[in-house]
Amino acid sequence: MDKVYDHKKVEERIYKDWEEKGYFSPEINPNGKPYSIILPPPNANAPLHFGHAMYVIEDILIRYHRMKGCKTLWLPGADHAGFETQFVFEKKLQEEGKSRFDYDRETLYKMIWDFVQGNRPIMEDQLRRLGFSLDWTRKKFTLDEDIKKIVYETFKKLYNDGFLYRDKRLVNYCTHDGTSFSDLEVIYKEKDASLYFIKYPLARGKGFITVATTRPETMLGDTAVAVNPKDKRYKELIGKFLSLPFTERQIPVVEDSAVDMEFGTGAVKITPAHDFNDFELAKRHNLQMVQVIGFDGKMNKKAGMFVGMYAKAARKAVIEEMKKKGLVEKINENYVHRIGLCYKCKNPIEPLPLEQWFVKMRPLASSAIKAIKDNKIKFYPQRHKKTILQFLENIKDWNISRQIAWGIRIPAWSCQDCKNWIVTKEEKPKQCKCGSGILKQDTDTFDTWFSSSQWPFATLMTNKKEDLKSFYPNSVMETMYDILLFWVARMIMVGIYKTGNIPFREVVLHGMVKDPLGKKMSKSKGNVVDPLEIVDKYGADAVRFALVYGTAFGNDQSLSFPKLQAMRNFTNKLWNIGRFIEMQFSLEYFKEKNLSFYSKEMDKNLLKEDQAIINATNQLIKKTTSSIDSYRFHDSAAQLYEFIWHKLADIYVEQIKERLKNGDENALIVLRHVWIMSLKLLHPFMPFITEELWNKIPRITKTELIISKWPK
RNA sequence: GGAUCCAUAGCUCAGUUGGUUAGAGCGUUCGCUUGACGUGCGAAAGGUCAGAGGUUCGAAUCCUCUUGGAUCCACCA
């Protein structure tokens, strides 16, 4: 054996061997109790970043359960990541001086498809290099034909059950990216703004009402002014009409208790087409909706003299014109308020009225809430339970239409004659109820999360015959806490809805891996780290161990080079313990002997120091097992590290050196036993080096460590 | 506005149901080392456990408040 451990000579070879022998497949333990995890499918639009290395938690659970004899499945896949991917691709196009408008839908789709296919092998190689024991024979992609079929079916089922409706409502629309978003995809930021106090004259008689607004450019879309019914200042004016400047229209003064008397003047302009609250208020009062901003972000022809201006420019222009009319009372320029931004391009989100497919969430959420409250689904760390319940209890309907090409096209057709919608499971309907054969498919695609919400069962329904039966519900869903609401919550809702059963029993959530300075890694900051770069330098085992060691599971951590180095040193320590043991077995007086294996019966012949290490080993077995079972991986890691380095190597090995020189068989038998146990316990965390060292010791079985039995 | 998390050695972090002189890695200081490993070994220095109050025989650990930092949700013109 070399004096220093060289992971490069070991890792690739061992992984290949495991994979070729089929050890990653559940068929290895066909009669065991099923244990399953579906890998959160990484986005297929880019290579993995360092945070993905946290999948190691799943690999630990998988390897542990495999060794415990479970019929263990860890199923890999990739997510087409609709909008995210199209965004990345469009950036690429931009660099080439092109844009999505240069291509028709099919061509664009094909180009992105090819782009994604180029990325997938890179991603898969990265996962292999990290040692993840994924069952590659079962890998799935969200755009596989059979997966798409299931997504269509779910859509159709929602439609048949009345949980799906198409409605023209305000949606969060990014005029820059040209698509709508769900509420979760809007981020809010504080911005300096102005609060404009503008006057609307009474249609008859003298006088006016002053309203306060941050968005005067929407005033041409106003269809009312609202006041609080308790507000004495406006009591006389309720029911009267105001002349809306720049237009021929007269708008009523309405009363609504949602109006805050304290804010501004107590009177609010109501723009149903461009503000969520106004939209709701308008429904209550049967007000019409006038859209003045288009989907291109520009004022449309309803905006009269302001047509063609971008909303922001129109704001200034409107105020200028209002000033000319003497209708600006004052402007508060030190007004700070929050505005919604597109989470991706950071441009302001424009609430716009658009026909979309919405899923009624209340009924779906209520069964999810029940499952969680009844502890059918458990959360680790527990604190996340409260967050998800809060979300589910206040859920709003889910807009699942996206105006992008990359994704699963919505299987719905509108009749061009009677305007009816027909939903199918994929195929184009022959004709409408009205007899018309002129049908046009919805041009929108599904929100990516709509398909990924079905991942826990879709992947199993489209694999080997018995998979769904064996592995659903999944044992564990492990992912980062940042997609708890986006993904985990929706998987629970859709999973229960579609299958009648929870999608998984336990939700295990790891923390974020930040850069060495504690900043969130992101492409725009340029501080992302390629996991392979780190694996090349320190070895996969060290990287894996560093991610579990020293930070309480579930907490955020920063990438730490000193820690990586320390863990690499640990692998070298392991290597040298192994080397030392190998050397003993090749000593002349041990070489030819067929040394027996440690058993409890030996205890009475053992020295105190032998007994001490045996006892410590037994304790380690218990502690490692229980800490993995309770998802306290950092405890396991610390215990293993402490035991192997500071008890086994520093103390016991030193204690018995003399005895080994004198040919003391018991010492070597105990040493070998403790070493075998150590390698087993450490294997889920550091699979490569433990497997390699396992192969260097004389032992009872010929089987590889990966499929050896977990000690009791 | 609602919720959650964090504040422990110079740095990065452990310390689960409250219990002996509060731990690790890195760093620092001193020494050792030539057949397991210098990616090593032995030892040492270093902490009013953010602050205040409370519960308790006993609190880093539980409760309240304050300060400072992070995050999530909702979103008032």
Side-chain angles (χ1 to χ4, degrees):
Chain A
M1 281 170 79
D2 296 341
K3 206 167 163 183
V4 170
Y5 175 55
D6 182 1
H7 61 270
K8 289 189 174 161
K9 289 186 184 166
V10 172
E11 297 180 348
E12 231 177 298
R13 181 188 81 232
I14 290 189
Y15 193 93
K16 214 172 142 210
D17 189 52
W18 286 331
E19 190 177 350
E20 280 172 4
K21 287 179 173 157
Y23 291 163
F24 302 156
S25 292
E27 285 75 21
I28 284 295
N29 294 325
N31 301 317
K33 193 177 149 204
Y35 183 88
S36 58
I37 300 179
I38 310 292
L39 181 83
N43 292 355
N45 59 40
L48 301 185
H49 56 77
F50 194 71
H52 285 109
M54 278 308 286
Y55 285 143
V56 65
I57 297 300
E58 290 163 50
D59 196 38
I60 290 168
L61 288 169
I62 288 294
R63 287 178 182 272
Y64 166 68
H65 283 92
R66 187 183 293 121
M67 287 173 77
K68 285 188 94 171
C70 293
K71 182 176 167 188
T72 306
L73 170 66
W74 192 17
L75 192 153
D79 190 346
H80 70 281
F83 170 67
E84 292 266 344
T85 301
Q86 185 163 323
F87 188 87
V88 169
F89 189 76
E90 279 187 43
K91 262 202 161 157
K92 206 172 94 96
L93 284 181
Q94 207 176 3
E95 282 161 22
E96 296 161 9
K98 303 243 166 76
S99 93
R100 69 172 183 272
F101 302 111
D102 297 336
Y103 307 94
D104 62 36
R105 184 188 185 111
E106 283 68 34
T107 313
L108 187 63
Y109 188 95
K110 178 76 176 49
M111 285 165 72
I112 302 179
W113 178 273
D114 292 341
F115 169 67
V116 159
Q117 292 311 315
N119 267 321
R120 284 186 64 194
I122 301 175
M123 217 169 74
E124 289 169 9
D125 175 57
Q126 288 174 308
L127 294 168
R128 285 185 166 92
R129 291 283 308 280
L130 281 155
F132 297 154
S133 56
L134 291 153
D135 184 359
W136 294 104
T137 65
R138 283 172 163 88
K139 73 172 172 181
K140 299 300 296 183
F141 180 43
T142 46
L143 295 184
D144 286 346
E145 287 306 317
D146 47 6
I147 296 281
K148 277 159 73 177
K149 261 205 172 80
I150 289 172
V151 174
Y152 295 140
E153 277 169 25
T154 307
F155 184 72
K156 174 80 172 154
K157 179 174 156 68
L158 283 164
Y159 185 76
N160 291 347
D161 291 347
F163 292 159
L164 185 75
Y165 62 94
R166 190 170 171 86
D167 195 11
K168 185 170 182 177
R169 296 192 2 196
L170 289 200
V171 293
N172 304 297
Y173 197 88
C174 176
T175 55
H176 182 263
D177 291 327
T179 184
S180 64
F181 290 111
S182 71
D183 295 334
L184 285 174
E185 284 155 316
V186 181
I187 55 169
Y188 288 87
K189 233 184 171 168
E190 294 219 322
K191 288 257 166 143
D192 292 325
S194 296
L195 187 61
Y196 303 91
F197 290 74
I198 52 178
K199 301 183 204 172
Y200 290 176
L202 280 168
R204 285 185 198 169
K206 287 179 190 167
F208 53 83
I209 283 187
T210 303
V211 296
T213 180
T214 53
R215 303 203 58 191
E217 75 275 17
T218 64
M219 68 175 282
L220 277 82
D222 286 2
T223 53
V225 164
V227 298
N228 193 296
K230 289 184 186 154
D231 199 330
K232 290 182 187 131
R233 292 171 291 182
Y234 300 108
K235 206 149 200 157
E236 305 297 311
L237 297 173
I238 291 165
K240 302 240 163 85
F241 281 81
L242 304 165
S243 308
L244 188 65
F246 312 117
T247 73
E248 303 290 303
R249 285 166 40 221
Q250 298 192 348
I251 58 173
V253 179
V254 300
E255 53 177 358
D256 196 287
S257 52
V259 178
D260 181 358
M261 287 160 57
E262 307 292 317
F263 188 92
T265 61
V268 201
K269 65 191 262 317
I270 300 301
T271 323
H274 299 295
D275 182 280
F276 288 99
N277 291 303
D278 294 0
F279 181 82
E280 291 304 318
L281 189 144
K283 264 206 263 180
R284 293 196 288 272
H285 296 270
N286 264 323
L287 300 172
Q288 55 163 331
M289 187 155 75
V290 177
Q291 180 177 352
V292 291
I293 302 173
F295 293 96
D296 54 1
K298 292 180 187 170
M299 306 307 290
N300 66 17
K301 56 182 190 284
K302 292 247 174 81
M305 61 192 290
F306 306 105
V307 66
M309 292 181 183
Y310 278 105
K312 207 173 165 187
R315 185 173 307 164
K316 277 190 188 151
V318 166
I319 286 300
E320 282 312 309
E321 292 302 320
M322 286 292 274
K323 274 186 183 161
K324 282 184 197 163
K325 290 177 185 284
L327 293 174
V328 177
E329 191 173 297
K330 62 170 176 176
I331 301 173
N332 172 4
E333 287 178 348
N334 299 314
Y335 184 70
V336 179
H337 80 146
R338 295 165 105 75
I339 60 165
L341 303 176
C342 169
Y343 83 103
K344 203 75 203 172
C345 73
K346 310 286 193 285
N347 285 300
I349 285 288
E350 197 66 65
L352 290 173
L354 187 60
E355 257 200 40
Q356 305 269 276
W357 292 105
F358 291 89
V359 181
K360 276 188 200 164
M361 297 310 281
R362 278 288 157 78
L364 302 198
S366 69
S367 45
I369 291 168
K370 188 168 184 329
I372 293 168
K373 283 195 171 161
D374 291 350
N375 267 329
K376 297 256 166 54
I377 302 175
K378 296 189 187 124
F379 290 81
Y380 301 88
Q382 253 228 321
R383 64 182 114 102
H384 298 294
K385 182 173 169 176
K386 202 168 178 176
T387 313
I388 195 169
L389 279 174
Q390 228 165 31
F391 170 72
L392 290 170
E393 275 157 4
N394 298 301
I395 201 155
K396 289 193 201 157
D397 288 352
W398 179 13
N399 161 215
I400 55 169
S401 299
R402 295 292 178 274
Q403 292 70 49
I404 53 175
W406 180 241
I408 303 176
R409 191 157 173 187
I410 297 178
W413 281 260
S414 67
C415 170
Q416 298 302 290
D417 287 319
C418 72
K419 303 294 168 201
N420 221 1
W421 281 89
I422 307 162
V423 169
T424 77
K425 287 185 186 172
E426 181 172 16
E427 70 288 354
K428 184 176 178 173
K430 292 211 174 63
Q431 62 172 39
C432 177
K433 278 185 288 192
C434 74
S436 167
I438 312 170
L439 301 167
K440 216 177 128 197
Q441 186 172 6
D442 191 344
T443 53
D444 291 349
T445 48
F446 287 121
D447 178 1
T448 292
W449 298 105
F450 183 69
S451 49
S452 44
S453 70
Q454 305 173 47
W455 207 232
F457 56 82
T459 48
L460 295 172
M461 286 173 169
T462 53
N463 250 301
K464 312 238 158 101
K465 226 178 165 185
E466 296 291 307
D467 280 1
L468 188 70
K469 207 175 139 207
S470 296
F471 301 115
Y472 192 86
N474 309 159
S475 308
V476 162
M477 173 48 64
E478 198 281 339
T479 188
M480 193 169 124
Y481 61 76
D482 66 333
I483 48 176
L484 178 67
L485 306 181
F486 278 101
W487 195 40
V488 178
R490 285 162 175 169
M491 279 190 290
I492 297 174
M493 291 187 282
V494 177
I496 295 175
Y497 171 67
K498 180 76 183 276
T499 69
N501 203 347
I502 50 167
F504 31 74
R505 301 179 205 283
E506 307 201 313
V507 176
V508 179
L509 297 163
H510 66 252
M512 193 189 304
V513 185
K514 303 181 178 181
D515 79 358
L517 299 173
K519 296 259 180 283
K520 189 172 173 174
M521 290 192 202
S522 75
K523 270 181 223 140
S524 52
K525 276 191 215 145
N527 60 350
V528 288
V529 176
D530 176 2
L532 287 198
E533 204 180 292
I534 308 289
V535 166
D536 277 340
K537 191 159 174 207
Y538 298 96
D541 291 320
V543 172
R544 293 166 60 114
F545 213 70
L547 286 171
V548 219
Y549 183 94
T551 304
F553 179 74
N555 288 356
D556 292 350
Q557 62 177 310
S558 299
L559 176 61
S560 157
F561 292 103
K563 188 152 108 181
L564 284 163
Q565 207 159 21
M567 295 310 143
R568 193 255 265 121
N569 293 355
F570 182 46
T571 57
N572 194 55
K573 190 66 178 178
L574 290 164
W575 183 255
N576 277 287
I577 299 170
R579 192 155 87 101
F580 177 77
I581 294 172
E582 193 199 39
M583 287 168 90
Q584 306 313 310
F585 276 98
S586 57
L587 288 174
E588 259 183 65
Y589 42 84
F590 288 133
K591 207 162 31 190
E592 305 303 325
K593 279 203 180 137
N594 202 3
L595 285 183
S596 58
F597 286 88
Y598 166 80
S599 69
K600 274 208 166 92
E601 291 73 57
M602 278 180 65
D603 284 359
K604 53 184 183 295
N605 302 323
L606 294 182
L607 298 185
K608 226 178 179 173
E609 61 196 36
D610 301 328
Q611 199 57 62
I613 196 76
I614 294 280
N615 290 344
T617 305
N618 290 335
Q619 272 199 19
L620 182 72
I621 293 170
K622 283 204 185 99
K623 284 202 281 191
T624 307
T625 305
S626 73
S627 53
I628 296 178
D629 282 337
S630 51
Y631 306 110
R632 298 183 57 85
F633 305 102
H634 57 293
D635 280 348
S636 325
Q639 286 149 8
L640 287 162
Y641 181 95
E642 158 70 19
F643 175 86
I644 293 173
W645 198 320
H646 300 303
K647 286 208 171 81
L648 177 57
D650 288 351
I651 298 176
Y652 188 66
V653 168
E654 293 305 323
Q655 281 172 335
I656 61 171
K657 271 185 178 168
E658 278 304 308
R659 289 164 63 196
L660 291 172
K661 274 185 199 160
N662 299 326
D664 184 329
E665 293 180 12
N666 278 359
L668 189 54
I669 290 170
V670 170
L671 177 62
R672 174 171 58 181
H673 170 73
V674 172
W675 186 229
I676 284 175
M677 292 301 123
S678 302
L679 291 177
K680 286 188 175 203
L681 296 174
L682 192 59
H683 180 260
F685 300 83
M686 299 186 136
F688 290 119
I689 190 170
T690 50
E691 185 73 80
E692 179 71 357
L693 291 169
W694 173 261
N695 289 321
K696 296 195 182 297
I697 37 169
R699 46 175 210 276
I700 304 173
T701 61
K702 280 276 164 244
T703 56
E704 283 86 344
L705 180 58
I706 183 176
I707 54 160
S708 71
K709 285 269 164 299
W710 187 257
K712 268 192 229 165

